[in-house]
């Protein structure tokens, strides 16, 4: 008689450090698998603790607590299918990233992660010891090999498992999103399938943690790389997957094939979900932001409305004598279309008081950036006062272009707890606004339709800190600026390479200088959703004080 095997895949969202809650979530998934007749229920990498733990996992008390909760979970799952779950484990005084197999009330097998990622947002060589390659384990009729996340990015672990008589590969992951990453994952897993001839199941977690979004999109491949199952991106999902034993070996039965979002939808959803989870997991239910009538605050208000509902997003207009009538109208238009409450809090009175206090010190000097920044800092002060008083997290609204060149006031418009558009260049902000006006999805809690007025998208960006101010008074046009930034930051291109691509040397050097001297601002800036492989924080770690400048272009002349 042909044998079958049912495996329940739990693509779920843990909360970092909430060990008992994560265990309860795992138990609920196990109960769903048991009810569906599964022989094995699988959860992602490091699910018990949440991911990434960073240095928290090195606290002996934390690792010991995780072991305690794991042992209790094993007892709770004693009568039914086996359960696979990622957790840390101390053995011989060394800390490992492991995948525990629970069956019959105890841990019956432990897979140790061998390849420890140590690039971009990962520092696992700092945290864990590399374990030896673990062999397959048996659940019922099936020998399962489990390369943990990075172990499947290289051929050695999967080849060893195949040689050790593994019949399928189950790859538990904590793989965070960056733009177009799914294609990379899929291509690598197809390579492992072709090399080993084994079916492969790629199980990823979902949910936001600090700046990172784990985007799910788990999938299963049969030999020769044929897609048998595609789970949804960004959503929690529990899927029951069936395998059949055939004369050629085990094969995955065809299952659901969820449609995946394109890069514009994926980026936008990551910004929404990252904010939603950051608020939920840190205990905030409401936010506020300064709504200026400009495009950046408009898209942040929209993201927030989609994340937690417009009724929970307080918009505040803080006008000065330099605020145009258009900006007042546009801020009101955005708030009205989204359905967000809008308050108006003029800064004229506080600004007059500060100007009077500073007058003896500023006497005899010409007005300049210091006076302009007083306006921004007063807005930050007033918004933080509202945040403190009413328990609403302040969102900051600087796009990646501004964050890169320091076109923001520290302790002013940089004030806030989270920045949803921190990794979105200004040119992408424009396109994202157009995309959101034209598209609406079930996961958006804000209204459908043109929520950002066309005039907000079309008008020239301005900080409105002096008469007739435009961003392009201080910066190159955003199309040029973003192309240079993408070269210097995302590609680490040299000045000479960018000049060879057609950019003016003086402009490239100016942008490079602004990037370097703004490092201290980024060091003190709010976290924000990671969209690319070169987001500011863990992806790109530069010194704050740095006197080096790239002279390659001038040397070549």
């Amino acid at each position: 008689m042909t044998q079958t095997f049912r495996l329940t895949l739990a693509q779920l969202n843990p909360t970092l450090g909430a060990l008992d809650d994560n265990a309860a979530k795992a138990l609920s998934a196990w109960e769903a698998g048991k009810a569906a007749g599964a022989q094995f229920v699988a959860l992602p990498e490091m699910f018990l603790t949440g991911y990434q733990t960073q240095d928290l996992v090195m606290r002996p008390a934390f690792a010991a607590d995780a072991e305690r909760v794991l042992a209790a979970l094993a007892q709770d799952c004693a009568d039914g299918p086996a359960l696979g779950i990622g957790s840390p484990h101390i053995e011989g005084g060394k800390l490992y990233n492991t995948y525990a197999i629970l069956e019959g009330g105890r841990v019956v097998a432990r897979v140790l992660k061998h390849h420890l990622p140590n690039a971009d947002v990962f520092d696992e060589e700092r945290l864990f010891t590399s374990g030896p390659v673990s062999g397959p384990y048996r659940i019922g009729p099936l020998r399962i090999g489990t390369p943990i996340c990075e172990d499947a990015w290289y051929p050695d672990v999967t080849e060893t498992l195949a040689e050790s008589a593994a019949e399928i590969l189950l790859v538990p992951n904590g793989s965070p999103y960056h733009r177009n990453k799914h294609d990379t994952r899929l291509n690598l897993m197809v390579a492992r399938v072709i090399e080993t001839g084994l079916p492969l199941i790629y199980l990823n977690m979902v949910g936001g943690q600090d700046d990172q979004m784990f985007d799910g999109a788990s999938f299963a491949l049969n030999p020769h790389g044929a897609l048998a199952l595609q789970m949804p991106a960004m959503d929690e999902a529990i899927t029951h997957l069936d395998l059949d034993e055939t004369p050629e070996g085990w094969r995955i039965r065809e299952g659901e094939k969820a449609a995946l979002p394109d890069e514009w939808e994926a980026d936008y959803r990551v910004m929404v979900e990252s904010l939603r989870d950051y608020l939920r997991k840190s205990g905030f239910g409401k936010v506020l932001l300064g709504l200026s009538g400009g495009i950046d605050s408009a898209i942040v208000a929209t993201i927030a409305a989609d994340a937690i509902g417009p009724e929970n997003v307080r918009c505040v207009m803080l006008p000065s004598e330099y605020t145009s009538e258009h900006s007042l109208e546009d801020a009101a238009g955005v708030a009205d279309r989204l359905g967000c409450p809008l308050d108006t809090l003029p800064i004229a009175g506080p600004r007059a008081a500060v100007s009077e206090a500073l007058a003896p010190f500023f006497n005899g000097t010409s007005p300049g950036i210091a006076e302009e920044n007083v306006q921004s800092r007063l807005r930050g002060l007033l918004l933080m006062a509202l945040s403190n008083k009413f328990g609403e997290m302040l969102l900051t609204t600087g796009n990646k272009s501004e964050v890169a060149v320091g076109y923001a006031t520290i302790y002013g418009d940089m004030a806030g707890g989270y920045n949803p558009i921190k990794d979105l260049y200004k040119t992408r902000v424009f396109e994202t606004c157009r995309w959101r006006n034209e598209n609406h999805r079930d996961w958006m809690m804000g209204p459908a339709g043109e929520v950002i007025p066309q005039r907000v998208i079309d008008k020239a960006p301005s900080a409105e800190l002096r008469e007739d101010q435009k961003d392009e008074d201080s910066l190159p046009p955003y199309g040029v600026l973003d192309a240079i930034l993408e070269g210097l930051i995302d590609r680490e291109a040299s000045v000479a390479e960018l000049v060879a691509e057609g950019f003016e040397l003086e402009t490239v050097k100016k942008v490079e200088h602004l990037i370097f001297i703004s490092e201290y601002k980024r060091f003190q800036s709010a976290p924000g959703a990671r969209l690319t492989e070169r987001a500011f924080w863990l992806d790109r770690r530069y010194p704050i004080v740095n006197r080096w400048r790239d002279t390659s272009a001038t040397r070549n002349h």
Side-chain angles (χ1 to χ4, degrees):
M1 184 182 227
T2 302
Q3 295 193 89
T4 62
F5 188 93
R6 173 160 282 191
L7 169 61
T8 294
L9 301 176
Q11 176 180 289
L12 298 178
N13 181 357
T15 297
L16 200 143
L19 305 180
D20 292 319
D21 291 346
N22 295 339
K25 204 162 207 176
L27 179 61
S28 179
W30 176 84
E31 289 169 343
K34 181 179 180 180
Q39 288 140 289
F40 187 31
V41 177
L43 288 123
E45 175 185 18
M46 290 292 281
F47 185 85
L48 189 65
T49 56
Y51 198 57
Q52 292 189 65
T53 59
Q54 301 191 63
D55 285 4
L56 178 62
V57 76
M58 294 196 289
R59 283 181 76 104
F62 180 78
D65 211 13
E67 298 276 25
R68 174 191 64 80
V69 174
L70 184 71
L73 179 62
Q75 288 290 318
D76 291 338
C77 297
D79 182 21
L83 178 71
I85 186 169
S87 67
H89 176 62
I90 297 175
E91 189 174 306
K94 295 178 178 179
L95 182 64
Y96 296 94
N97 178 335
T98 75
Y99 198 68
I101 310 303
L102 315 180
E103 192 172 29
R106 62 190 183 91
V107 178
V108 297
R110 251 196 190 96
V111 178
L112 308 182
K113 192 171 184 178
H114 178 65
H115 288 293
L116 301 177
N118 212 56
D120 52 65
V121 297
F122 292 100
D123 291 295
E124 291 212 345
E125 289 183 11
R126 170 187 173 89
L127 306 176
F128 299 110
T129 298
S130 170
V133 178
S134 306
Y137 49 90
R138 178 176 289 280
I139 304 292
L142 194 58
R143 285 175 62 83
I144 302 172
T146 292
I148 302 173
C149 199
E150 191 85 354
D151 288 342
W153 286 57
Y154 303 96
D156 57 339
V157 174
T158 51
E159 285 178 2
T160 300
L161 287 166
E163 291 165 1
S164 305
E167 294 171 299
I168 70 162
L169 299 172
L170 169 67
V171 187
N173 290 268
S175 179
Y177 173 89
H178 65 67
R179 195 174 294 141
N180 299 318
K181 189 173 184 180
H182 182 76
D183 290 344
T184 302
R185 295 175 184 142
L186 187 60
N187 291 337
L188 283 164
M189 295 310 107
V190 167
R192 301 294 87 85
V193 166
I194 291 171
E195 290 158 2
T196 62
L198 298 178
L200 181 148
I201 298 156
Y202 182 101
L203 175 60
N204 195 20
M205 69 169 57
V206 289
Q209 172 58 37
D210 295 343
D211 65 323
Q212 295 165 43
M213 176 69 190
F214 298 92
D215 55 320
S218 305
F219 57 89
L221 301 169
N222 270 317
H224 310 297
L227 185 70
L229 172 79
Q230 177 63 66
M231 294 176 70
M234 318 286 179
D235 288 319
E236 287 193 305
I238 293 177
T239 296
H240 308 294
L241 176 149
D242 292 313
L243 296 105
D244 299 305
E245 189 180 30
T246 74
E248 293 77 34
W250 289 88
R251 296 294 181 265
I252 300 166
R253 206 178 293 172
E254 291 280 317
E256 65 170 317
K257 305 275 180 65
L260 297 179
D262 64 20
E263 70 173 61
W264 293 98
E265 179 174 347
D267 272 9
Y268 188 77
R269 184 151 192 202
V270 166
M271 291 185 285
V272 169
E273 298 292 346
S274 294
L275 176 60
R276 182 181 284 161
D277 264 5
Y278 190 78
L279 295 169
R280 180 178 63 84
K281 292 178 180 182
S282 57
F284 284 84
K286 293 177 179 290
V287 300
L288 80 155
L289 70 148
L291 192 65
S292 67
I295 195 168
D296 295 324
S297 61
I299 192 63
V300 170
T302 306
I303 290 166
D306 282 338
I308 59 173
E311 69 279 5
N312 296 310
V313 180
R314 182 206 294 247
C315 298
V316 185
M317 173 42 121
L318 300 109
S320 73
E321 66 265 38
Y322 303 119
T323 303
S324 69
E325 196 62 36
H326 274 186
S327 292
L328 294 169
E329 293 170 1
D330 291 341
V334 171
D336 181 62
R337 292 182 187 205
L338 288 172
C340 298
L342 175 65
D343 295 317
T344 300
L345 180 55
I347 66 168
R351 183 166 175 242
V354 171
S355 297
E356 182 181 349
L358 290 172
F361 301 93
F362 284 13
N363 185 41
T365 66
S366 300
I369 291 175
E371 285 83 359
E372 292 176 18
N373 285 347
V374 164
Q375 299 170 62
S376 181
R377 292 190 173 115
L378 282 171
R379 289 181 172 117
L381 183 151
L382 294 169
L383 288 168
M384 278 305 306
L386 292 172
S387 174
N388 289 161
K389 191 69 174 178
F390 299 107
E392 301 161 344
M393 183 181 286
L394 175 59
L395 301 182
T396 182
T397 61
N399 60 71
K400 189 174 185 177
S401 310
E402 295 172 352
V403 172
V405 298
Y407 194 67
T409 305
I410 195 164
Y411 322 124
D413 56 333
M414 288 179 66
Y418 202 75
N419 180 357
I421 62 170
K422 187 177 183 179
D423 201 24
L424 197 68
Y425 285 124
K426 185 78 169 192
T427 47
R428 280 191 167 259
V429 171
F430 288 111
E431 194 58 41
T432 300
C433 288
R434 296 185 188 101
W435 181 89
R436 175 58 178 85
N437 277 348
E438 295 167 3
N439 294 275
H440 194 266
R441 301 288 185 267
D442 290 344
W443 46 265
M444 298 174 181
M445 297 179 72
E450 189 184 80
V451 291
I452 300 170
Q454 190 61 40
R455 190 169 73 178
V456 172
I457 299 172
D458 291 342
K459 68 181 177 182
S462 171
E464 292 193 326
L465 298 176
R466 62 176 183 268
E467 290 289 352
D468 300 321
Q469 184 181 20
K470 300 288 184 289
D471 289 5
E472 290 185 13
D473 298 341
S474 307
L475 300 172
Y478 279 112
V480 174
L481 176 63
D482 286 358
I484 294 173
L485 291 173
E486 190 273 333
L488 292 172
I489 293 169
D490 297 73
R491 294 190 282 125
E492 295 284 7
S494 69
V495 170
E497 287 170 326
L498 290 172
V499 171
E501 291 174 17
F503 297 102
E504 293 180 1
L505 174 61
E506 184 180 350
T507 304
V508 176
K509 290 295 294 178
K510 176 184 178 180
V511 172
E512 179 207 36
H513 180 67
L514 290 172
I515 292 170
F516 282 142
I517 66 170
S518 302
E519 201 63 47
Y520 81 100
K521 290 186 178 182
R522 288 189 288 275
F523 194 77
Q524 299 178 63
S525 65
R530 175 185 187 249
L531 304 175
T532 69
E533 294 179 81
R534 298 296 286 169
F536 294 124
W537 190 29
L538 296 176
D539 281 305
R540 185 184 180 278
R541 309 180 200 188
Y542 271 65
I544 297 171
V545 176
N546 163 32
R547 293 288 292 273
W548 179 83
R549 298 296 183 266
D550 182 354
T551 59
S552 59
T554 50
R555 286 201 313 271
N556 292 343
H557 285 74

